[in-house]
Amino acid sequence: KAGVTQTPRYLIKTRGQQVTLSCSPISGHRSVSWYQQTPGQGLQFLFEYFSETQRNKGNFPGRFSGRQFSNSRSEMNVSTLELGDSALYLCASSLTGQAFYGYTFGSGTRLTVV
Amino acid sequence: EDQVTQSPEALRLQEGESSSLNCSYTVSGLRGLFWYRQDPGKGPEFLFTLYSAGEEKEKERLKATLTKKESFLHITAPKPEDSATYLCAVARGNQFYFGTGTSLTVIP
């Protein structure tokens, strides 16, 4: 059974640019959540999508957006990149989206903004 | 305010030296407490879920326990391959609240 796949694994972008990250959930999973991980803040919740609808959003600026497609694949976009956006971006999938049942995480995309 | 706090931030153990990691939380409406292991450059890997106070779960050298305010991850006779960051998360609705983790190093 394939796990959660995130692409690309590594990215280097320049301040002011925009970036799109991709996440393919486990087959059959309809919920995809995105988290930002930094050494100082740990994992911070960005947003959660279920059946193409954003159901919950964390406390991040509007530069961070996402979407989910009909096949449950999800993309996350960050516009006007800032140095502080450098982080490991993790995607997690679950069958129903209820955290109660646990999530399976991908290996993440390491974004470096220079 | 919902908060999850892990201690210590870092822990160095000699191989075979048992210890415990702590996770305390103030999240209301808790629906479950999760322990994950994260290796460098990888995503968190699920270890345990605990749902009610008094519950215990074991896996090899790891044992997780839960009270009303905190959880402990006990590591018995650790080996170098147990070196990793251990993350605690509490579930509320469709969101996790994570602690910042304990970085464990086991020295041969």
Side-chain angles (χ1 to χ4, degrees):
Chain A
K1 186 177 183 182
V4 179
T5 304
Q6 291 189 246
T7 56
R9 287 298 312 277
Y10 303 94
L11 266 179
I12 299 176
K13 290 286 188 180
T14 303
R15 199 168 40 174
Q17 287 186 311
Q18 76 164 18
V19 67
T20 299
L21 313 181
S22 178
C23 172
S24 293
I26 291 173
S27 178
H29 283 194
R30 296 166 64 189
S31 168
V32 173
S33 298
W34 288 89
Y35 287 82
Q36 181 196 66
Q37 186 176 30
T38 58
Q41 298 294 316
L43 276 93
Q44 302 285 311
F45 174 74
L46 282 155
F47 28 67
E48 188 252 352
Y49 285 87
F50 183 85
S51 294
E52 302 179 66
T53 300
Q54 186 183 91
R55 295 198 301 188
N56 200 4
K57 189 177 190 314
N59 190 24
F60 278 81
R63 300 185 297 107
F64 292 82
S65 63
R67 59 178 176 169
Q68 186 180 33
F69 302 95
S70 59
N71 61 358
S72 294
R73 189 177 71 85
S74 177
E75 288 182 346
M76 191 192 93
N77 184 273
V78 188
S79 62
T80 319
L81 284 165
E82 300 177 0
L83 296 179
D85 297 333
S86 295
L88 180 67
Y89 289 88
L90 291 161
C91 162
S93 81
S94 73
L95 195 60
T96 65
Q98 287 296 314
F100 180 75
Y101 296 108
Y103 291 155
T104 302
F105 283 85
S107 293
T109 294
R110 171 73 63 184
L111 173 65
T112 303
V113 182
V114 298
Chain B
E1 182 185 338
D2 295 328
Q3 201 162 5
V4 179
T5 304
Q6 291 188 249
S7 63
E9 285 187 18
L11 183 63
R12 290 172 64 90
L13 299 173
Q14 291 289 331
E15 184 173 0
E17 179 187 1
S18 301
S19 187
S20 295
L21 282 54
N22 177 263
C23 171
S24 61
Y25 58 91
T26 57
V27 175
S28 58
L30 176 73
R31 296 294 308 282
L33 186 138
F34 295 74
W35 282 97
Y36 283 86
R37 169 191 170 130
Q38 187 174 25
D39 292 298
K42 294 189 176 181
E45 176 187 345
F46 172 77
L47 291 173
F48 302 109
T49 309
L50 301 165
Y51 294 109
S52 57
E55 190 174 359
E56 299 182 351
K57 295 257 178 95
E58 285 190 65
K59 180 180 179 180
E60 296 180 358
R61 296 177 291 283
L62 301 176
K63 179 180 175 180
T65 62
L66 180 65
T67 71
K68 286 187 177 179
K69 294 280 180 65
E70 58 191 350
S71 176
F72 293 92
L73 185 65
H74 307 279
I75 303 176
T76 302
K79 298 182 177 181
E81 53 262 42
D82 295 323
S83 297
T85 295
Y86 290 86
L87 297 166
C88 160
V90 296
R92 185 161 71 92
N94 56 356
Q95 184 176 336
F96 272 152
Y97 295 85
F98 277 90
T100 51
T102 293
S103 175
L104 173 66
T105 303
V106 182
I107 304 162

